Amino acid sequence: MAVVLDVDAIMRLIPHRFPFLLVDRVTDYEKGRSLDAVKSVTANEPFFPGHFPGNPVMPGVLIVEALAQAGCLLSQLSFDGEGERPLYYLAGVDGARFKRPVRPGDRLDLRIDVERVRRGMWWYRCEASVDGKTAAQATILSAPGGGQQ
């Protein structure tokens, strides 16, 4: 699995930083169509001490956020317009389902497939998996925002 974008390149495309940057590398993408990325889940994640003591589980909302960040990376990498790339914001989540827990030591594989693009808004079919087994899936909508906040 070759690295297409490392964390430094990712941080040039989206504004997220520690502890909220949830994509470590992009391993593959096809402009305007799909993206594969990875989040290495470590025991040092700041949410594990409270979620849950003695039974650490990555919160589902953060898995969805990782998928949204990967989708926004695909939108950034697919931008063909002139001028500065727009910043894409999470605008909606539909059909989120959580199939298995994500724990310290897991490699969370993120798969994004574009469902459609309309008026600058992107709909993605998303799946997060561990060891080839689905951990979560959702349809995510992102929309360009006016400026960075």
Side-chain angles (χ1 to χ4, degrees):
M1 188 178 301
V3 175
V4 174
L5 293 179
D6 64 12
V7 72
D8 292 324
I10 289 167
M11 289 192 299
R12 285 191 290 275
L13 291 170
I14 61 176
H16 304 80
R17 300 295 182 264
F18 178 83
F20 215 67
L21 179 60
L22 298 173
V23 179
D24 294 326
R25 67 182 180 266
V26 172
T27 57
D28 192 25
Y29 79 94
E30 186 177 345
K31 188 175 181 175
R33 299 186 63 112
S34 64
L35 180 136
D36 294 308
V38 172
K39 163 66 177 150
S40 298
V41 182
T42 72
N44 296 320
E45 305 291 347
F47 47 80
F48 280 138
H51 198 271
F52 297 99
N55 184 28
V57 175
M58 185 174 184
V61 69
L62 294 182
I63 298 170
V64 170
E65 175 64 25
L67 290 166
Q69 288 180 20
C72 289
L73 282 165
L74 178 55
S75 297
Q76 289 288 341
L77 291 166
S78 301
F79 179 70
D80 279 334
E82 293 183 23
E84 192 174 330
R85 291 180 167 118
L87 179 60
Y88 292 89
Y89 290 91
L90 176 60
V93 178
D94 290 319
R97 297 288 180 263
F98 303 96
K99 307 286 187 175
R100 69 177 305 277
V102 176
R103 301 188 180 282
D106 285 344
R107 186 184 82 189
L108 191 61
D109 294 311
L110 309 168
R111 173 66 185 196
I112 310 300
D113 289 297
V114 173
E115 197 169 86
R116 71 181 183 265
V117 180
R118 204 161 121 202
R119 292 193 300 257
M121 296 185 296
W122 293 70
W123 283 262
Y124 319 103
R125 281 184 320 278
C126 306
E127 181 178 4
S129 61
V130 175
D131 296 330
K133 296 178 185 146
T134 301
Q137 54 195 166
T139 299
I140 292 177
L141 167 64
S142 73
Q148 291 191 358
Q149 295 182 350

